[in-house]
Amino acid sequence: MSKCKVQLAIVGHPPPDFDARELASWNSNVFEISSVIESFQLNEDAAGDDWEFSDVQFENAVRRDPTCDFLVMFVTVKLECNWYLRRLSDNRIVFTFYEMDHIVRHHRLPLKNLSLRVLYAAVLVFRRYGSRIPVASESTNYAHDETRGCLFDMNANKMDVVASLHRPCVCERCCSQLKEAKVSNELIESVKKEIRKVQKPLADRIIDFVRAHTIFSIFVSVLSALVLGITASLIAAWVYEFMKATLSSFLQA
Ligand SMILES: [Zn+2]
């Protein structure tokens, strides 16, 4: 199973809490990020009547490195139809943090989780369509309207994206469709295994655990306090006896 080589590019001003280098250091058996992550200035204003940028405006923004399988451009401006991802020509996609960053931060999730979700979904789409990303005008059916915490949730309501930013999955229907499209079992299993590592920060997971197991957490806290108290008393008693013996020996000498 060969890895997809992915080119990343930042177009315009990135969110302050987004670091594309974090994606490059993500350990994956299904994709590798090109070591060169370039940034580009966004030269134009929005062409749309509602301040949205059209696909055409991004068609000439960044060229794909021919040694990479596909290119992901990260932007912060509004895209056509207010979608958060648009497919362009020549195996390129543009993803925007517009509105998405507020939703993700509101749920105390890192933007990295959102970016990884996009990358894993793009890898599966690339393989599903015979090593190419279909352009926006091409009819596709890889996304589903129901929110299942799956990489291919449509998220017509953008708020629903949070369901697939903590231990996302590839649902049974999507797995079945991917297999029918000749995506290997090994790739699907690797993706499913790796996306389980896309999680909330540890502190939030601890809070969730305490909320779900309140009595057990209180019991463990009380037990820990008792054990610490007893241990401290034993150490203090030992130190006292040691000091007493040392002082006694010193005075006798
Ligand atoms: Zn699905």
Side-chain angles (χ1 to χ4, degrees):
M1 185 178 70
S2 61
K3 292 183 181 182
C4 278
K5 190 168 181 188
V6 185
Q7 179 187 358
L8 303 182
I10 316 293
V11 182
H13 197 70
D17 47 345
F18 173 66
D19 185 355
R21 288 170 301 182
E22 281 188 292
L23 302 178
S25 61
W26 180 260
N27 190 19
S28 173
N29 288 322
V30 302
F31 68 78
E32 63 173 310
I33 304 294
S34 171
S35 57
V36 180
I37 300 175
E38 294 180 296
S39 301
F40 298 87
Q41 181 173 293
L42 186 60
N43 292 319
E44 302 175 49
D45 284 329
D49 294 335
D50 200 21
W51 292 279
E52 73 273 22
F53 282 71
S54 66
D55 293 348
V56 174
Q57 288 184 278
F58 288 109
E59 280 291 350
N60 297 318
V62 185
R63 292 188 199 91
R64 179 175 63 87
D65 177 345
T67 64
C68 294
D69 290 311
F70 61 86
L71 160 69
V72 182
M73 290 180 234
F74 291 101
V75 302
T76 54
V77 295
K78 190 175 182 180
L79 301 184
E80 243 181 84
C81 304
N82 198 18
W83 290 11
Y84 57 80
L85 186 142
R86 302 286 304 180
R87 306 188 307 266
L88 306 176
S89 64
D90 191 33
N91 295 335
R92 296 176 301 163
I93 59 178
V94 56
F95 170 81
T96 184
F97 289 107
Y98 176 75
E99 296 180 336
M100 305 299 282
D101 53 351
H102 297 294
I103 295 168
V104 171
R105 288 189 200 113
H106 178 74
H107 289 84
R108 298 190 304 279
L109 291 161
L111 295 186
K112 182 177 86 171
N113 290 22
L114 181 57
S115 314
L116 285 169
R117 181 194 186 279
V118 170
L119 287 181
Y120 278 107
V123 167
L124 289 176
V125 168
F126 181 78
R127 293 299 187 204
R128 175 175 175 162
Y129 287 89
S131 299
R132 68 184 185 90
I133 303 279
V135 294
S137 58
E138 186 175 338
S139 177
T140 57
N141 63 345
Y142 61 79
H144 42 73
D145 296 340
E146 186 182 37
T147 299
R148 303 171 186 164
C150 173
L151 292 182
F152 298 106
D153 287 353
M154 176 67 81
N155 299 323
N157 180 348
K158 288 183 179 178
M159 295 290 283
D160 289 347
V161 76
V162 296
S164 50
L165 297 185
H166 172 64
R167 292 180 182 153
C169 67
V170 183
C171 73
E172 285 185 23
R173 181 192 137 180
C174 291
C175 279
S176 172
Q177 289 183 344
L178 287 163
K179 288 176 183 177
E180 283 173 21
K182 305 285 187 284
V183 178
S184 73
N185 294 339
E186 288 76 13
L187 174 59
I188 295 169
E189 288 307 313
S190 292
V191 169
K192 286 167 75 175
K193 187 176 168 189
E194 291 183 16
I195 58 178
R196 299 299 289 173
K197 296 175 189 164
V198 177
Q199 297 184 20
K200 293 176 182 177
L202 179 61
D204 289 294
R205 278 183 273 149
I206 291 172
I207 291 168
D208 287 348
F209 180 86
V210 170
R211 279 185 183 146
H213 307 89
T214 309
I215 302 296
F216 176 74
S217 301
I218 292 171
F219 174 75
V220 169
S221 301
V222 170
L223 192 65
S224 304
L226 280 172
V227 170
L228 279 173
I230 292 167
T231 307
S233 298
L234 290 172
I235 291 171
W238 180 81
V239 169
Y240 174 76
E241 291 299 329
F242 177 77
M243 294 296 289
K244 190 175 158 187
T246 306
L247 191 60
S248 172
S249 310
F250 178 73
L251 290 173
Q252 283 173 5

